[in-house]
Amino acid sequence: MTQPRPAGQHTVRRHNSALVLGAIADSPGISRAGVAARTGLTKATVSSLVDRAIAADLVVDGEPARRDGPGRRGTSLSLSPDGPHGLGVEIGVDYIATCLVDLTGSVSSQRIRPVDNRSQPANRVLVKVARAIRTAVAELPVRVGGVGVAVPGLVESSTGFLRTAPNLGWRDVDVQAELRDRTDLGDTAIMVGNEANFAALGEMWGGGHEDLRDFVHVSGEIGIGAGIVMDGVLFEGVRGFGGEIGHLPVDSKGPQCSCGARGCLEAMAGQDTILRQADVPDVDTLVLRLQDNDRKAITATRSVARWLGTALSNVVNLLDVPTIVLGGTYARIEPWLHELLLDELDVRVVSAAWSEMRILRSTLGTEAAVRGAASSAVRAIVADPDPFITATVAG
């Protein structure tokens, strides 16, 4: 059996750099002494690592930090808004979105391009995605430190392969390799993930919900997906295929779904079905009709609540999650869904009498997935900053 080797100097420094940047990310305005106390590193080590991070535009030195008691006040440290950014990309069924987020979590730029991707082969759509990436990078003079790509389908966690995207008609697409070949990203990290999972992370990190730790985020658009978060950690399943709430069967006699089965939630309560039943061309018109108490719009919304409540009750009965966040189109019509869903859950959830359910409206809406993808890239930078520091020193 091979014996483990002791960590080398570079490995230790890489680990310590991540500790220091993580402490600064968790407590903006912290002093060097505060970082040392939090990480257990010596003040000299912290000072050296902070200086390297400042040189790499990862950290900025600010005003003197507040100090209780005697002694010289240290300067406050924060992540640099001018450092490497995370680039989020979302390949939607009817749009392509990009978003640049800095190390502090602030959005530097965002763009959504309506485009019908359903009738296009993967290589043609990915050419458009690559063009959107180049445009986003050219708009701002910032370095892209990582890319997150949200896709509407099953992404295998071990390989990053998009195994199937029924609403796009794609199967076994290596999105990462395709985009690397079509862009000038070089060796920049590219992570590919399910859009509902990225949306859940985006809502947890940037949605303004302080106590959001255990929840299901439902992305209701043309497709329906769910991002499941337990104790602040995304649950993807064994292979990364978890959360496909859109393909839970809710009516065995229902219409055929894009996946081939009948009566899936997506076929019964997806965006296309809602608009068709309400006899409206788009979601904006649907909202206006609901505000006017239009009979067809109200009836369509009641139907959505019934089928969505049926599917969500199965999720709650299985996982015992206390909160549901409605995203995408569902966020737009949440005021008309809220009470109907609660009534449905009250009837179908076995534990309803002892555990109160919360239904929240996503504050990010249709932007949640692309924001989550960009923020995931930022967090990957913070978790392993040494490559950026080393590149600066070498340069």
Side-chain angles (χ1 to χ4, degrees):
M1 184 175 68
T2 304
Q3 292 293 324
R5 302 179 63 183
Q9 182 179 0
H10 174 71
T11 302
V12 172
R13 187 180 64 204
R14 187 169 189 167
H15 173 75
N16 290 343
S17 293
L19 282 180
V20 168
L21 209 64
I24 296 171
D26 290 341
S27 300
I30 193 171
S31 67
R32 286 170 170 79
V35 172
R38 178 174 289 231
T39 61
L41 299 172
T42 67
K43 292 181 180 180
T45 298
V46 168
S47 184
S48 173
L49 293 173
V50 165
D51 288 343
R52 287 164 59 88
I54 291 173
D57 269 342
L58 295 171
V59 172
V60 289
D61 222 343
E63 297 296 322
R66 191 179 71 179
R67 180 182 177 89
D68 297 324
R72 187 167 59 89
R73 293 186 297 168
T75 55
S76 62
L77 303 171
S78 301
L79 297 183
S80 172
D82 300 321
H85 282 48
L87 172 62
V89 182
E90 183 183 2
I91 305 172
V93 176
D94 55 355
Y95 62 88
I96 296 171
T98 57
C99 177
L100 278 166
V101 172
D102 68 28
L103 292 178
T104 71
S106 297
V107 176
S108 298
S109 71
Q110 187 165 313
R111 178 178 293 191
I112 299 177
R113 302 161 181 80
V115 57
D116 186 0
N117 294 322
R118 281 179 288 193
S119 59
Q120 303 294 326
N123 60 348
R124 188 171 298 177
V125 174
L126 291 171
V127 167
K128 297 176 184 176
V129 174
R131 187 181 305 130
I133 290 174
R134 288 194 294 270
T135 299
V137 173
E139 280 182 342
L140 288 176
V142 298
R143 179 182 180 186
V144 174
V147 182
V149 184
V151 293
L154 299 182
V155 178
E156 192 172 59
S157 55
S158 62
T159 63
F161 269 54
L162 173 62
R163 289 304 182 188
T164 181
N167 287 312
L168 292 176
W170 295 6
R171 196 176 186 88
D172 291 328
V173 180
D174 188 349
V175 175
Q176 182 187 89
E178 293 280 350
L179 291 181
R180 198 175 294 285
D181 288 344
R182 288 179 167 86
T183 60
D184 300 323
L185 292 172
D187 60 354
T188 302
I190 301 175
M191 59 184 77
V192 181
N194 175 267
E195 58 85 20
N197 288 338
F198 275 133
L201 293 174
E203 195 68 35
M204 180 171 63
W205 295 333
H209 308 289
E210 296 298 328
D211 60 343
L212 202 59
R213 299 282 295 172
D214 302 281
F215 67 99
V216 175
H217 180 285
V218 185
S219 299
E221 298 185 11
I222 291 173
I224 302 174
I228 303 167
V229 176
M230 308 291 282
D231 195 24
V233 178
L234 180 70
F235 175 77
E236 298 179 281
V238 176
R239 290 174 292 273
F241 300 156
E244 288 298 317
I245 190 176
H247 299 290
L248 286 180
V250 292
D251 184 1
S252 61
K253 298 180 180 179
Q256 188 171 37
C257 179
S258 61
C259 72
R262 285 195 172 275
C264 293
L265 175 64
E266 196 168 286
M268 303 300 295
Q271 180 177 295
D272 285 350
T273 300
I274 304 170
L275 298 182
R276 184 175 64 253
Q277 291 179 349
D279 193 22
V280 293
D282 51 46
V283 178
D284 289 337
T285 306
L286 173 64
V287 172
L288 291 174
R289 296 283 176 85
L290 286 170
Q291 290 171 342
D292 292 337
N293 290 317
D294 177 79
R295 181 178 58 82
K296 284 187 176 181
I298 294 294
T299 300
T301 303
R302 288 186 176 278
S303 176
V304 168
R306 175 190 174 192
W307 300 119
L308 182 58
T310 300
L312 284 172
S313 65
N314 290 329
V315 174
V316 175
N317 280 328
L318 181 65
L319 299 177
D320 188 29
V321 285
T323 303
I324 293 163
V325 180
L326 298 180
T329 300
Y330 294 150
R332 299 284 307 278
I333 62 174
E334 183 271 342
W336 296 274
L337 283 177
H338 192 104
E339 292 303 322
L340 295 172
L341 278 178
L342 283 177
D343 290 343
E344 199 73 32
L345 291 170
D346 188 56
V347 171
R348 295 179 179 276
V349 174
V350 178
S351 62
W354 302 278
S355 55
E356 181 181 357
M357 287 297 305
R358 284 197 309 168
I359 295 178
L360 302 178
R361 182 181 189 176
S362 166
T363 59
L364 300 182
T366 56
E367 300 175 6
V370 72
R371 289 274 295 273
S375 297
S376 293
V378 167
R379 286 176 174 250
I381 296 169
V382 174
D384 188 19
D386 198 65
F388 302 92
I389 296 172
T390 302
T392 301
V393 173

